[in-house]
Amino acid sequence: MRNITITTLTKEKMEEVSPILIAYERYMENIGGPNWGYEHFMKELPRKWELSFLMTQPLQEIIGYAIVSERDSRYHVHRPFLLPQYRFSHTRFLTKTLLHRAKESGLAEMSWITADKITGCEALQRFADKQQYLGNWDNANFFYMSKRLNPAS
């Protein structure tokens, strides 16, 4: 997608942008969504600072982010998020970015918490169900799951 920059969300970058992300979370809470605070964004998780990322537009406006870590040898998406005004036009881009980064992570599986209309997990579920991007990856050995539909044992 033109003019979108993907930046790895290092711990230092998270310190810098956490007030903006928390403001986005508060906005989502006002329309009935879940809410994350500073402690959620700064929590140490395996490979979190390597796998999480920001989506920005020109002038560094943050339009979305994904908080990702390694959990049980899976590329685990804790928090995909797009601002509401970008959901229609950028959900596919966010999903493709997550899938591409999952492949690049070297992990064999991908998981996420729940399909959530507020943060955009429902798009992950749709794409995973269709397995729309598997054919584009040579020797891709990815298994998609949603804990909402297929709880981990």
Side-chain angles (χ1 to χ4, degrees):
M1 181 144 283
R2 288 183 302 154
N3 301 321
I4 301 293
T5 302
I6 301 297
T7 306
T8 298
L9 194 47
T10 63
K11 189 172 186 173
E12 294 75 24
K13 188 69 173 175
M14 181 64 86
E15 282 284 352
E16 177 187 331
V17 302
S18 63
I20 297 166
L21 304 187
I22 291 166
Y24 287 173
E25 290 286 324
R26 287 191 181 129
Y27 169 75
M28 298 316 295
E29 180 181 46
N30 290 337
I31 62 170
N35 188 287
W36 272 24
Y38 179 81
E39 65 282 353
H40 296 99
F41 285 109
M42 296 308 298
K43 184 175 181 176
E44 292 289 337
L45 297 168
R47 295 182 67 188
K48 176 182 178 178
W49 310 119
E50 171 192 348
L51 301 174
S52 299
F53 62 90
L54 290 174
M55 294 173 57
T56 57
Q57 291 219 85
L59 305 178
Q60 299 303 307
E61 175 197 9
I62 298 170
I63 66 165
Y65 55 88
I67 307 303
V68 182
S69 72
E70 181 177 337
R71 177 186 282 180
D72 300 324
S73 299
R74 291 186 179 108
Y75 180 91
H76 185 74
V77 182
H78 296 270
R79 196 72 160 179
F81 179 87
L82 279 172
L83 286 173
Q85 62 267 36
Y86 295 101
R87 294 226 174 102
F88 181 76
S89 59
H90 292 69
T91 296
R92 179 174 289 227
F93 183 75
L94 171 63
T95 303
K96 286 174 85 172
T97 301
L98 283 165
L99 294 173
H100 174 75
R101 288 175 69 102
K103 179 188 175 197
E104 295 293 313
S105 74
L107 299 169
E109 294 184 8
M110 180 176 179
S111 63
W112 53 93
I113 303 225
T114 58
D116 181 327
K117 291 180 181 175
I118 300 300
T119 58
C121 282
E122 82 285 356
L124 278 174
Q125 185 62 53
R126 269 197 319 274
F127 285 114
D129 287 346
K130 292 179 184 177
Q131 297 182 0
Q132 190 162 339
Y133 296 106
L134 280 176
N136 297 334
W137 293 352
D138 295 330
N139 301 318
N141 185 23
F142 272 74
F143 303 93
Y144 299 99
M145 62 162 279
S146 165
K147 289 188 178 191
R148 179 180 62 86
L149 299 175
N150 183 15
S153 36

